[in-house]
Amino acid sequence: MGRDQTPPAPREVELKLETDEAGLAALRAHPAFEGAAVKALHATYFDTPDRELRKAGISLRVRRSGDRRIQTVKAGGRAGAGLFDRDEWERDVTGDQPDLSGLDDGPVGDLLADVAGRIAPAFTVHVERTTAEVARGEAAAEVTLDEGVVEAGGREEPVAEVEIELRHGTVADLFAIARRLSEAAPLRLGIRTKADRGYALLAGKPPKGVKSPAPHVTPGMSAGEGFQAIARGCLAHLLRNEPALRLARDPDAVHQMRVAMRRLRAAISLHKPILADERRDAVAAEVKWAASELGDARDLDVFIARTLQPALKANPDEEDLAGFLQRLEGERARAYERALAALRSPRFRAMLLDLAEWVEAGPWLDGEDEARDGPVETFAAGLLGRRAKRLVKRGARLADMEPEPRHELRIAVKKLRYAVEFFTPAFEGRKAARRAKAYLGALERLQEHLGDLNDLAVGRARLAGEPHASRLDPLLFGRVDESRMLAEAVDAHDDLADARRFWT
């Protein structure tokens, strides 16, 4: 890589799938791996003491295979790039240390040149790799099975993963090969790299829930490209939270996974005009099913933490209240088991793969479509304008609404909020950014007040079946001023109605 010429980054298009030791054994016995090559790989990952490369989304490693040493630099996907493609540069080196001489100009090369004197080994990865070429018609992919361990900070984590890298063919071929292999072993879509695992071990903490990433919609995209960028971000958000629920039962991971799936469903709904194909509704229905499997766990987390535990703390001698908490904690434990069973199910694994394939290569991308292929700014401005107008008109009756239509209004507010978050980056300029921030703030306040009212209605509905409901109601809700909460929601709606539109 010389400074006199900057070649484009090679495009790595691959699927990463996770399994276990038994799954890898089943795949090795698959006819596709008959006569496959097997070799031992030992990699050392490098970074600065302050983890500057990690913060920049860059990984740097030197991998040893026999007498050969290969240096690899990987960078996170470009804005709007596919979920499964990354920038990657490889070169042979003479030793076990990186050789950062002769780097390209550009953000990655400049950063590596800047940190060259401060990098040191961070963690190591040791795997046995089985590699085979798998064909599908005219398409072909290199499939690797990695079994081994990541070692970092005196801790280790097993590795059992499958990578399918497209050599030639279409993205649809990539997913078809993944499905073929999924018939032999339980494979689930994953985005955690070996670097992710190493840095997590260095942190020495159990996985925890993470918030949604910044949207990757950019000016100049088409509306279709904008949807793909949004959906990829939602899917990445979902996948990054799954380990924290599966391995640590983190309540925030349950919340974030449900947020990711709500955002996915909202994105599909918001883009219906350009997603008119026979698979859309089935894909959306499966996302809804997955979210529902986590719903009870999240609802119980919220009610116990925000209402029941504070009430018991204020009334520690109330046996009926303590008994109610004990019963709900039992319900919550069962709800978590249900959520975890869903994550382990073939249906959930299929949902993830189907969703990813549909986003990347669904029939909605076929042919020509003026709205889909037109500017994302035009699509977003029309959508935001229509939904904002309807919401303001609908919310004018908020003061007199019953709980159910108020709940429906809350959903509409949430959907518009997601749309604002999705599309704000498509509108350039300081004025647009300033107005978007204010508009989003007004939406968030309205959603918060409507959410409080909804929590109250749901909590009272949950209490209704209890044998001592009449005694428990004032203990749980006696300090709640519903009239004040409603008045605050009305004020928030009025503020939203007066907020300046950033998309005009």
Side-chain angles (χ1 to χ4, degrees):
M1 295 187 293
R3 287 187 176 276
D4 57 334
Q5 186 176 1
T6 305
R11 188 169 183 248
E12 180 187 42
V13 183
E14 67 178 26
L15 274 176
K16 184 179 292 292
L17 303 163
E18 298 177 359
T19 186
D20 54 24
E21 184 179 349
L24 290 181
L27 287 173
R28 290 191 194 98
H30 191 280
F33 287 88
E34 184 177 354
V38 180
K39 59 184 175 181
L41 301 176
H42 307 277
T44 300
Y45 285 72
F46 295 82
D47 207 336
T48 68
D50 293 334
R51 308 292 182 243
E52 293 174 68
L53 298 184
R54 177 63 169 175
K55 292 172 185 175
I58 296 169
S59 71
L60 169 64
R61 74 172 184 236
V62 174
R63 173 181 285 163
R64 173 168 52 87
S65 177
D67 295 330
R68 190 182 179 193
R69 306 292 191 273
I70 303 172
Q71 174 179 291
T72 303
V73 177
K74 293 188 179 184
R78 303 164 302 284
L83 181 64
F84 312 110
D85 56 356
R86 294 174 291 173
D87 291 342
E88 178 179 292
W89 299 264
E90 284 191 346
R91 63 183 292 188
D92 283 84
V93 292
T94 57
D96 293 327
Q97 296 296 313
D99 179 359
L100 301 182
S101 62
L103 298 171
D104 286 332
D105 290 325
V108 175
D110 290 347
L111 177 60
L112 289 170
D114 182 59
V115 304
R118 301 196 303 277
I119 60 170
F123 54 89
T124 58
V125 178
H126 309 282
V127 299
E128 181 181 81
R129 169 165 293 182
T130 305
T131 306
E133 290 285 334
V134 178
R136 178 184 184 263
E138 298 296 320
E142 181 181 81
V143 182
T144 61
L145 314 180
D146 280 354
E147 182 174 7
V149 65
V150 181
E151 298 176 345
R155 291 172 287 271
E156 63 180 42
E157 179 181 334
V159 172
E161 62 186 30
V162 180
E163 290 189 359
I164 309 173
E165 184 174 349
L166 193 64
R167 293 304 194 195
H168 55 85
T170 67
V171 174
D173 293 320
L174 187 70
F175 282 93
I177 291 171
R179 282 195 172 78
R180 176 182 167 190
L181 297 177
S182 295
E183 294 172 359
L187 304 178
R188 65 177 178 273
L189 191 63
I191 58 172
R192 290 185 77 208
T193 64
K194 296 179 182 70
D196 291 333
R197 297 172 188 270
Y199 282 110
L201 288 172
L202 288 175
K205 298 177 182 178
K208 61 180 181 179
V210 294
K211 293 184 178 181
S212 59
H216 289 301
V217 174
T218 57
M221 281 184 169
S222 69
E225 290 170 333
F227 169 72
Q228 288 182 312
I230 292 165
R232 289 166 190 149
C234 294
L235 183 53
H237 184 204
L238 174 61
L239 292 170
R240 291 200 179 281
N241 280 282
E242 189 204 5
L245 173 55
R246 186 163 39 85
L247 302 176
R249 297 197 178 201
D250 179 30
D252 197 43
V254 176
H255 172 52
Q256 291 299 331
M257 288 185 75
R258 291 193 73 218
V259 168
M261 288 185 278
R262 282 201 304 264
R263 286 166 64 90
L264 268 168
R265 293 178 61 207
I268 294 171
S269 175
L270 292 166
H271 289 83
K272 269 188 176 181
I274 66 171
L275 301 177
D277 70 27
E278 68 275 12
R279 293 180 56 189
R280 182 194 65 204
D281 292 345
V283 168
E286 286 302 281
V287 176
K288 181 179 181 180
W289 162 77
S292 71
E293 294 298 292
L294 276 60
D296 285 347
R298 174 58 184 169
D299 291 345
L300 285 162
D301 280 338
V302 170
F303 183 67
I304 289 172
R306 297 182 185 175
T307 302
L308 193 44
Q309 288 177 336
L312 187 58
K313 184 177 181 180
N315 303 276
D317 299 326
E318 287 289 343
E319 294 184 1
D320 291 339
L321 206 55
F324 188 31
L325 174 60
Q326 186 176 12
R327 286 192 293 279
L328 288 192
E329 285 180 334
E331 286 187 28
R332 177 166 62 175
R334 291 187 290 275
Y336 267 78
E337 288 301 323
R338 176 185 170 189
L340 289 166
L343 297 191
R344 292 190 291 264
S345 71
R347 184 176 180 180
F348 185 78
R349 294 195 299 269
M351 182 274 289
L352 292 175
L353 207 56
D354 289 345
L355 172 65
E357 180 185 25
W358 179 71
V359 169
E360 299 295 331
W364 66 276
L365 288 162
D366 295 340
E368 295 182 0
D369 183 284
E370 185 176 353
R372 183 198 66 203
D373 300 332
V376 66
E377 300 93 326
T378 302
F379 179 86
L383 181 149
L384 291 167
R386 292 189 300 272
R387 287 187 173 266
K389 183 177 180 179
R390 287 201 300 266
L391 181 60
V392 169
K393 182 178 180 180
R394 188 174 179 181
R397 304 186 297 275
L398 175 56
D400 302 317
M401 281 184 181
E402 295 296 320
E404 184 57 32
R406 203 164 60 203
H407 170 62
E408 293 173 357
L409 177 65
R410 182 178 70 92
I411 293 174
V413 171
K414 188 181 297 183
K415 192 173 289 188
L416 180 57
R417 175 189 169 184
Y418 291 153
V420 169
E421 291 173 342
F422 293 154
F423 293 121
T424 291
F427 298 92
E428 296 181 293
R430 291 184 179 179
K431 183 172 73 173
R434 185 173 61 252
R435 289 183 178 181
K437 183 177 180 180
Y439 195 85
L440 182 60
L443 273 170
E444 289 172 342
R445 289 190 294 275
L446 178 55
Q447 181 182 333
E448 180 180 357
H449 293 309
L450 290 175
D452 290 341
L453 287 163
N454 186 66
D455 288 345
L456 177 61
V458 170
R460 282 188 163 144
R462 186 178 294 278
L463 181 62
E466 285 296 305
H468 306 290
S470 59
R471 272 186 38 74
L472 294 175
D473 187 285
L475 297 175
L476 292 168
F477 307 114
R479 296 185 178 183
V480 175
D481 187 344
E482 188 172 1
S483 297
R484 179 185 58 80
M485 292 166 63
L486 182 58
E488 290 175 341
V490 170
D491 288 343
H493 168 267
D494 293 343
D495 289 342
L496 178 65
D498 293 336
R500 302 284 295 273
R501 276 50 173 164
F502 66 91
W503 56 85
T504 57

